[in-house]
Amino acid sequence: MLLAALVPSPSGAQRPVTDFVPHPPARQEMTSPSGAYRLVLSTQDGWRSRRAHAELSRGTARVWARELPQEFGPRQALVSDMGIVVCLDEWINIFSRYAVMVIGADGKVRQEWSFEDVEDALGVRLGSLPSNERFGPWMRRPAMLDPRAGRAVVPTVAGIDLWVDLRTVQLSRGR
């Protein structure tokens, strides 16, 4: 699929971007570190709506299900042993208004941050740095959970980790 869009640059001006982005798999499954929770991202309509359906289960019991707002779903999602889901970016390569989204174990969005919010938390303008096409415009490598610290750790193209505290639901610059 060929996508063409106007993407705001760090200066606020819009720049045209044409990018080939294949559809995500029709079904993706993630589990929490202990295996207690399972998150399934899928398409309900072959990606015609461009929205992913998310379903969180604990064992064989469905905990919640909902449609996600990111175009073609998140680029990456993590699920903690507390049943908290962290969605990162969008499948398409844009400076997203859904750069980080935290969904509680009850299925309600606890917080969402835009690309600009991530830049503010880090104190770095990521949009001016070379992107890693495999992980999107601002992530350098896949994110991971740090269960002992109760946070998600997101490596950025600036070489600085973004921390997403799952208890306080706050962003901060890693040390």
Side-chain angles (χ1 to χ4, degrees), residues 9-166:
S9 70
S11 68
Q14 296 208 340
R15 60 184 168 92
V17 173
T18 303
D19 201 0
F20 175 77
V21 181
H23 287 142
R27 180 182 164 90
Q28 301 174 71
E29 190 172 309
M30 301 85 188
T31 57
S32 64
S34 71
Y37 287 93
R38 184 182 78 233
L39 177 70
V40 174
L41 301 178
S42 62
T43 175
Q44 301 289 292
D45 60 5
W47 296 118
R48 285 186 302 282
S49 69
R50 297 183 175 202
R51 297 288 177 248
H53 177 79
E55 185 172 315
L56 183 71
S57 301
R58 183 175 183 144
T60 59
R62 183 168 84 173
V63 178
W64 57 258
R66 64 175 297 135
E67 183 179 272
L68 297 177
Q70 299 90 342
E71 193 162 346
F72 296 104
R75 178 162 299 263
Q76 185 181 358
L78 304 168
V79 59
S80 79
D81 286 332
M82 299 177 284
I84 297 171
V85 173
V86 179
C87 297
L88 297 164
D89 228 355
E90 297 188 50
W91 189 262
I92 60 174
N93 284 328
I94 63 168
F95 299 129
S96 176
R97 68 183 246 199
Y98 303 109
V100 180
M101 175 185 282
V102 177
I103 303 171
D106 60 359
K108 295 180 181 171
V109 175
R110 293 180 59 193
Q111 187 65 270
E112 57 188 46
W113 294 276
S114 69
F115 173 76
E116 290 81 14
D117 295 331
V118 168
E119 288 182 316
D120 290 346
L122 293 171
V124 175
R125 295 294 141 221
L126 299 169
S128 62
L129 299 172
S131 68
N132 181 331
E133 295 303 317
R134 184 169 173 212
F135 302 111
W138 63 275
M139 291 186 285
R140 183 181 67 211
R141 291 190 322 261
M144 62 192 153
L145 290 172
D146 181 350
R148 284 196 170 134
R151 67 179 162 230
V153 178
V154 187
T156 71
V157 294
I160 302 165
D161 289 341
L162 175 71
W163 288 351
V164 183
D165 190 302
L166 302 181

